[in-house]
Short mmCIF file of all heavy atoms in Angstrom, two decimals:
data_model
loop_
_atom_site.label_atom_id
_atom_site.label_comp_id
_atom_site.label_asym_id
_atom_site.label_seq_id
_atom_site.Cartn_x
_atom_site.Cartn_y
_atom_site.Cartn_z
N GLN A 26 -21.57 0.14 38.60
CA GLN A 26 -21.56 0.88 39.86
C GLN A 26 -20.89 0.10 40.98
O GLN A 26 -20.22 0.67 41.83
CB GLN A 26 -23.01 1.23 40.25
CG GLN A 26 -23.68 2.19 39.28
CD GLN A 26 -22.99 3.53 39.24
OE1 GLN A 26 -22.46 4.00 40.25
NE2 GLN A 26 -22.99 4.18 38.09
N ASP A 27 -21.06 -1.22 40.94
CA ASP A 27 -20.50 -2.02 42.02
C ASP A 27 -19.13 -2.60 41.66
O ASP A 27 -18.61 -3.45 42.37
CB ASP A 27 -21.46 -3.16 42.38
CG ASP A 27 -21.77 -4.04 41.17
OD1 ASP A 27 -21.43 -3.63 40.05
OD2 ASP A 27 -22.37 -5.12 41.37
N ALA A 34 -9.00 0.64 31.65
CA ALA A 34 -9.96 0.39 30.57
C ALA A 34 -9.26 0.53 29.22
O ALA A 34 -8.33 1.31 29.05
CB ALA A 34 -11.13 1.37 30.67
N ASN A 52 1.11 1.85 -22.15
CA ASN A 52 1.93 0.74 -22.60
C ASN A 52 1.72 -0.44 -21.67
O ASN A 52 0.95 -0.36 -20.70
CB ASN A 52 3.41 1.13 -22.65
CG ASN A 52 4.16 0.43 -23.76
OD1 ASN A 52 3.94 -0.75 -24.02
ND2 ASN A 52 5.06 1.15 -24.43
N GLN A 75 -2.49 -0.31 -24.25
CA GLN A 75 -2.97 0.78 -23.39
C GLN A 75 -4.17 0.30 -22.58
O GLN A 75 -4.88 -0.63 -22.98
CB GLN A 75 -3.35 1.98 -24.24
CG GLN A 75 -4.50 1.72 -25.20
CD GLN A 75 -4.72 2.91 -26.12
OE1 GLN A 75 -3.81 3.69 -26.37
NE2 GLN A 75 -5.93 3.04 -26.65
N VAL A 81 -11.20 0.22 -6.44
CA VAL A 81 -11.38 0.70 -5.06
C VAL A 81 -10.58 -0.14 -4.08
O VAL A 81 -10.73 0.01 -2.87
CB VAL A 81 -12.87 0.70 -4.66
CG1 VAL A 81 -13.66 1.62 -5.55
CG2 VAL A 81 -13.45 -0.72 -4.71
N GLY A 88 -7.65 -0.38 12.85
CA GLY A 88 -8.21 -0.41 14.19
C GLY A 88 -7.10 -0.46 15.23
O GLY A 88 -6.11 -1.18 15.06
N PHE A 95 -0.80 -1.72 31.83
CA PHE A 95 -0.62 -3.16 31.64
C PHE A 95 0.85 -3.52 31.87
O PHE A 95 1.74 -2.98 31.23
CB PHE A 95 -1.05 -3.57 30.23
CG PHE A 95 -0.95 -5.04 29.97
CD1 PHE A 95 -1.96 -5.90 30.38
CD2 PHE A 95 0.15 -5.57 29.32
CE1 PHE A 95 -1.86 -7.26 30.14
CE2 PHE A 95 0.26 -6.92 29.07
CZ PHE A 95 -0.76 -7.77 29.48
N ILE A 140 5.65 -7.47 18.85
CA ILE A 140 5.44 -8.77 18.24
C ILE A 140 4.34 -8.63 17.20
O ILE A 140 3.27 -8.07 17.49
CB ILE A 140 5.05 -9.83 19.28
CG1 ILE A 140 6.16 -9.98 20.33
CG2 ILE A 140 4.80 -11.18 18.61
CD1 ILE A 140 5.80 -10.94 21.45
N LEU A 158 -1.10 3.13 -2.13
CA LEU A 158 -1.34 2.57 -0.80
C LEU A 158 -1.17 1.06 -0.80
O LEU A 158 -0.73 0.47 0.17
CB LEU A 158 -2.74 2.93 -0.31
CG LEU A 158 -2.98 4.38 0.11
CD1 LEU A 158 -4.40 4.56 0.63
CD2 LEU A 158 -1.98 4.82 1.16
N ALA A 178 12.83 -5.69 19.73
CA ALA A 178 13.06 -5.07 21.03
C ALA A 178 13.90 -3.82 20.86
O ALA A 178 14.82 -3.78 20.03
CB ALA A 178 13.75 -6.04 21.99
N ILE A 188 19.81 14.54 23.26
CA ILE A 188 19.82 13.41 22.34
C ILE A 188 19.70 12.11 23.11
O ILE A 188 20.41 11.89 24.09
CB ILE A 188 21.11 13.42 21.49
CG1 ILE A 188 21.16 14.67 20.61
CG2 ILE A 188 21.19 12.17 20.63
CD1 ILE A 188 22.42 14.78 19.76
N GLN A 193 18.44 -1.34 18.94
CA GLN A 193 17.30 -2.15 18.56
C GLN A 193 17.78 -3.46 17.95
O GLN A 193 18.83 -3.51 17.30
CB GLN A 193 16.42 -1.41 17.55
CG GLN A 193 15.81 -0.11 18.06
CD GLN A 193 15.03 0.59 16.97
OE1 GLN A 193 15.61 1.22 16.08
NE2 GLN A 193 13.72 0.49 17.03
N THR A 206 1.68 -20.03 -5.68
CA THR A 206 0.65 -20.04 -6.73
C THR A 206 -0.55 -20.91 -6.40
O THR A 206 -1.50 -20.95 -7.17
CB THR A 206 1.26 -20.52 -8.06
OG1 THR A 206 1.83 -21.83 -7.87
CG2 THR A 206 2.37 -19.58 -8.51
N GLY A 232 13.93 15.66 20.45
CA GLY A 232 12.62 16.28 20.34
C GLY A 232 11.51 15.25 20.23
O GLY A 232 11.60 14.14 20.76
N PHE A 246 19.95 -18.44 2.96
CA PHE A 246 19.15 -19.10 1.92
C PHE A 246 19.63 -20.52 1.73
O PHE A 246 20.83 -20.79 1.87
CB PHE A 246 19.27 -18.33 0.59
CG PHE A 246 18.75 -16.94 0.66
CD1 PHE A 246 19.59 -15.88 0.95
CD2 PHE A 246 17.41 -16.68 0.46
CE1 PHE A 246 19.12 -14.58 1.02
CE2 PHE A 246 16.91 -15.39 0.54
CZ PHE A 246 17.78 -14.34 0.81
#
Side-chain angles (χ1 to χ4, degrees):
Q26 294 297 327
D27 57 348
N52 213 321
Q75 63 186 25
V81 299
F95 182 82
I140 300 176
L158 287 183
I188 297 178
Q193 298 176 283
T206 57
F246 298 93

